[in-house]
Amino acid sequence: MANLKSTFLGIESPNPFWLASAPPTDKAYNVNRAFEAGWGGVVWKTLGEEGPPIVNVSGPRYSALHSNDRRVIGFNNIELITDRPLQINLDEIRQVKKDWPDRAVVVSVMLPMNEEAWAKNLPMIEDTGCDGFELNFGCPHGMSERGMGAAVGQVPEYIQMAAEWAKAAASIPVIVKLTPNVANILPPARAALDGGADAVSLINTINSIMRVDYDTLTMFPTTDGMGTHGGYCGEAVKPIALNMVAEIARTKATRTLPISGIGGITDWRDAVDFLALGASNVQICTAAMVYGFKIIDDLVDGLGTFLDDKGITLDQLIGHAVPSVTDWQYLNLNYVEKAVIDQDLCIKCGRCHAVCEDTSHQAITHTVDGERRFEVIDDECVGCNLCVSICPVDSCITMTQTSDANADKLNWTAHPNNPMRNTD
């Protein structure tokens, strides 16, 4: 199998799969189980400074979005940073790193916005022998009300300031964890770079409320009748995360930043997506919380087999898809594809016809010569791909290029209908 050994900021691990900072990395017991299962690294659940203890609610902390077959596709949590004493965490981190020298142990930290707190706490944490820091500027609930977490991550100037303090206090790599609760991920990423951060990780969770209780008509879940927004994660956030990762990787001002990819990674294909779009390694939480630590077997086997089949290395996969990402205005408007239905695979469910007839371009028949038959009307098909997306049979409907492969390329910047076109 392909060699999956990973090096991120000089931090080596036997594979690129790390557990993200979250309940699965809250204590040595969990982390030891993860390493025994085969995980390459962990980001220890976020530590705060010594002081009044963190107090979590004892009511529901999690809620889930389920598919029709009750598979978890989205997860919401309102848990805060670690509520365990700082010294206990430090002792356990030191012991875990001693017991597992070949695994990555990065520590997530969240501290007040004053330089003294960073200067005091980071050297003390670094003394455990940990491999790096991840600055939690993403947590969207609880801690943000205290001027930390996403309250910092939404202000680029604060990100740069705290990154500078961290780099001054630490001699090991500093990763800035970015919040997705912003209009544009690039200013926070640039601020991390300007502050001297060695890398960024993203995405943290998204502000969310899952639903209401249909009996009481209060939000769900609640603690003693009241609830709050939490952080959304899981499979459903993956497309949002991939876009933000790719934006950083393809933008000239930020493309030098190494990226640790986070957000909805459930199987090896998800990992391939993140790695190909610019991440150098990946972090996983929700999938482990839903299925347990043994998912690492499928992640490692799947990624290794994929690399072998492609005949490429892990390093060659990283960033491979980034050059294919562009802005809409640069897409070739002379390129044309049409849908084609494989009649041997078609089960005649009619979903393609229904959605095309009702919501798109009336480009699929429902009868031919008096028989129930679904065919694409080429003259009406605009190649939107909706029918492919909703067809329940894999590969029954495919897209086929119908434009001349030798035709000149034309994008919107030069299109005659564009009043702002470049005529130079």
Side-chain angles (χ1 to χ4, degrees):
M1 184 181 291
N3 182 5
L4 295 186
K5 185 175 180 180
S6 171
T7 301
F8 185 73
L9 304 180
I11 303 169
E12 294 186 351
S13 55
N15 60 64
F17 298 106
W18 293 3
L19 282 170
S21 169
T25 62
D26 186 37
K27 59 178 74 72
Y29 178 85
N30 304 72
V31 172
N32 283 325
R33 285 180 60 84
F35 285 162
E36 288 165 2
W39 289 82
V42 300
V43 181
W44 203 276
K45 185 173 169 66
T46 306
L47 306 185
E49 65 177 350
E50 289 183 290
I54 296 294
V55 180
N56 277 290
V57 297
S58 296
R61 300 180 190 179
Y62 310 124
S63 51
L65 176 68
H66 294 99
S67 63
N68 290 336
D69 59 358
R70 200 164 168 74
R71 183 172 60 85
V72 174
I73 56 177
F75 214 57
N76 175 288
N77 90 88
I78 60 168
E79 186 163 297
L80 303 180
I81 66 174
T82 185
D83 54 10
R84 305 168 70 234
L86 177 61
Q87 190 58 51
I88 290 177
N89 275 295
L90 297 180
D91 292 343
E92 291 187 358
I93 293 167
R94 180 177 285 106
Q95 187 62 49
V96 166
K97 188 58 191 176
K98 180 180 177 181
D99 293 341
W100 300 92
D102 67 326
R103 308 302 171 93
V105 179
V106 172
V107 178
S108 175
V109 294
M110 183 185 290
L111 297 169
M113 283 298 292
N114 65 77
E115 187 173 4
E116 292 76 16
W118 296 84
K120 173 187 175 182
N121 286 280
L122 263 57
M124 179 170 52
I125 299 171
E126 183 177 332
D127 187 61
T128 63
C130 62
D131 297 301
F133 290 111
E134 184 181 77
L135 313 188
N136 184 347
F137 297 154
C139 186
H141 54 272
M143 305 309 294
S144 56
E145 289 98 317
R146 310 179 196 193
M148 294 181 282
V152 175
Q154 291 169 332
V155 183
E157 293 81 4
Y158 292 170
I159 294 175
Q160 180 174 344
M161 187 184 305
E164 289 172 349
W165 293 339
K167 286 295 294 180
S171 63
I172 53 179
V174 170
I175 306 165
V176 169
K177 190 172 188 179
L178 300 178
T179 176
N181 299 299
V182 292
N184 185 344
I185 199 64
L186 294 177
R190 181 59 187 267
L193 182 63
D194 291 344
D198 299 288
V200 291
S201 60
L202 67 155
I203 60 173
N204 208 311
T205 55
I206 302 171
N207 285 336
S208 60
I209 292 177
M210 295 301 280
R211 63 177 179 89
V212 300
D213 184 307
Y214 305 115
D215 293 324
T216 63
L217 291 183
T218 58
M219 71 162 287
F220 178 87
T222 59
T223 300
D224 194 23
M226 299 295 291
T228 185
H229 75 271
Y232 192 54
C233 53
E235 287 183 57
V237 310
K238 176 188 159 188
I240 298 168
L242 285 177
N243 174 64
M244 292 186 172
V245 166
E247 283 298 291
I248 294 172
R250 77 184 183 98
T251 300
K252 183 177 181 180
T254 55
R255 66 176 57 147
T256 59
L257 266 173
I259 299 170
S260 183
I262 314 170
I265 300 164
T266 302
D267 64 24
W268 65 267
R269 295 174 184 83
D270 301 323
V272 169
D273 293 337
F274 274 88
L275 295 168
L277 285 168
S280 295
N281 74 358
V282 293
Q283 297 183 35
I284 298 170
C285 171
T286 306
M289 294 181 72
V290 173
Y291 301 111
F293 287 153
K294 291 300 289 181
I295 63 170
I296 189 62
D297 291 340
D298 290 335
L299 291 166
V300 168
D301 290 346
L303 179 59
T305 300
F306 174 81
L307 294 175
D308 284 343
D309 290 345
K310 287 291 185 182
I312 60 175
T313 66
L314 179 62
D315 286 342
Q316 288 171 330
L317 172 63
I318 293 170
H320 195 279
V322 173
S324 68
V325 183
T326 189
D327 296 325
W328 190 97
Q329 63 182 328
Y330 300 118
L331 299 179
N332 181 11
L333 298 176
N334 280 340
Y335 181 86
V336 178
E337 285 187 354
K338 303 285 186 180
V340 176
I341 300 174
D342 186 330
Q343 297 300 326
D344 292 333
L345 295 177
C346 181
I347 61 174
K348 297 181 171 56
C349 66
R351 288 182 62 188
C352 60
H353 166 75
V355 298
C356 189
E357 193 73 13
D358 289 349
T359 70
S360 293
H361 302 282
Q362 299 77 51
I364 298 179
T365 66
H366 63 91
T367 57
V368 176
D369 296 331
E371 295 183 3
R372 183 177 176 84
R373 183 180 176 91
F374 302 97
E375 293 183 352
V376 175
I377 306 169
D378 284 346
D379 289 345
E380 302 298 333
C381 179
V382 300
C384 71
N385 203 46
L386 175 62
C387 56
V388 177
S389 300
I390 61 89
C391 180
V393 180
D394 185 38
S395 302
C396 177
I397 309 179
T398 55
M399 302 300 294
T400 300
Q401 180 181 353
T402 60
S403 56
D404 184 352
N406 296 317
D408 292 337
K409 297 190 177 200
L410 175 67
N411 61 48
W412 181 244
T413 63
H415 197 281
N417 291 342
N418 179 5
M420 303 294 290
R421 71 183 183 277
N422 182 357
T423 57
D424 294 338

